[in-house]
Amino acid sequence: MQAVSETKRSISDSKMNSFKRRLKRQKWFFIMLLPGLLYFLIYKYMPMWGILIAFQDYQPFLGFFGSKWVGLKHFETFFGNEAFWQLFRNTFILAVYNIVFFFPLPIIISLMLNEVRRDLFKRWIQTLIYVPHFVSWVVVVGISFLFFSTEGGIVNSMLNSMGAEPVKFLLSKDWFRTIITSQVIWKETGWGTIIFLAALAGVDPGLYEAARMDGANRWRQMWHITLPAIRSTIIILLILRIGTFLDSGFEQIFLMVNPLNREVGEVFDTYVYTTGISQGKFSYSTAVGVF
C-alpha cells in the first residue's frame, strides 16, 4: 500500500511540475486571457448575486439578507399579468424579423463580395459597410428622426413635393417593426460579414479551377463550392443567434418607443426598465429579467 501511495504521489508531483512548466512557457497566453476572464467575472458572474431579489420582497434599506423571502410570487404575478403575452408577442415578432430578414443578409453580401475580383474596390466596399457598426444607437435613432419625422423629415418632404400626405412613420404601430428591423440591418449587416468572409478565405482555389474546367459557371461554383464551404459556419451562427432569441436589446427599442406605438414596441427589456427603475418594483422587474 505504501508503494502504491508513493507511486500516486510521484505521478501527482509529475503532473504538477508539468503544469508549472507549461504555465511558465505559455505565461503570455494566460496574461492575454486574463482581461477576458475578468470581464466575464465582473460583468457576468458577479451580478448574478442580484438575481436573489427576484425571490424576495426586496427593500433597499433591509438589504439582501434582511428582505422577506417570497419564493415564486413575482413570477406568478408576471405570468398572470395581461402584459406578459403582449410583451412576449412583441419580443417574439421582433426576434423572428431579425432571423428572417437580417440573418441571411451578411451571408448574401459575403457571397457577393467574394465574387468581386478587384481588391481595392472590395476593400472600399467592406470598409463602407463596416462603419455603421461603430455608430451608437442614439445616433442611429437620430438619423431615423431626420429621415422619417413629419416635420422636416427627408422622406416626408419628398412625399409633400409629390403631393402626397405625410406619413407618421415614427408614431405608427404599423411601421414600428419595419423601422426597427431596418435599423438593425443598416447597422450590423456589414459587421456580420466578417466571419463569413474569413470562412470563404479558407476555400481552396483549386476547387474553383477544377469546377471551371468542368464547365461550371459562377452560379454553379457558388452553389456547389462556396455555400457548402461556409455551411457549418452558417449553422453555428444560427444556433448562437437562436440562443439570444428573446434578447431584443434595450437602447434601440427604448429610444424608438413612444405612447402611440408602445402597444407593439414594448419588449421585456424596456418593461424591466419601466417597472424596475421608474416605478421602483425591484423584485418584480428582476423576476421579469430572469425570465
Side-chain angles (χ1 to χ4, degrees), residues 99-160:
I99 292 291
V100 174
F101 298 108
F102 167 66
F103 183 78
L105 285 179
I107 303 171
I108 295 171
I109 293 178
S110 299
L111 294 174
M112 294 172 65
L113 287 174
N114 190 58
E115 296 299 319
V116 176
R117 294 294 175 255
R118 295 188 177 182
D119 290 337
L120 181 61
F121 180 71
K122 183 177 180 179
R123 287 196 296 269
W124 184 79
I125 293 295
Q126 285 178 284
T127 303
L128 190 65
I129 62 176
Y130 288 169
V131 169
H133 171 77
F134 301 99
V135 178
S136 72
W137 280 118
V138 176
V139 176
V140 173
V141 172
I143 294 172
S144 300
F145 272 80
L146 288 176
F147 271 87
F148 300 112
S149 175
T150 53
E151 297 181 2
I154 296 174
V155 175
N156 277 309
S157 296
M158 294 174 62
L159 292 175
N160 286 332

Side-chain angles (χ1 to χ4, degrees), residues 1 4 8 15 26 49 63 80 98 143 149 153 167 174 219 289:
M1 292 295 293
V4 173
K8 289 182 178 179
K15 288 182 178 179
Q26 300 177 349
W49 179 256
N98 283 333
I143 294 172
S149 175
V167 180
D174 298 329
W219 173 256

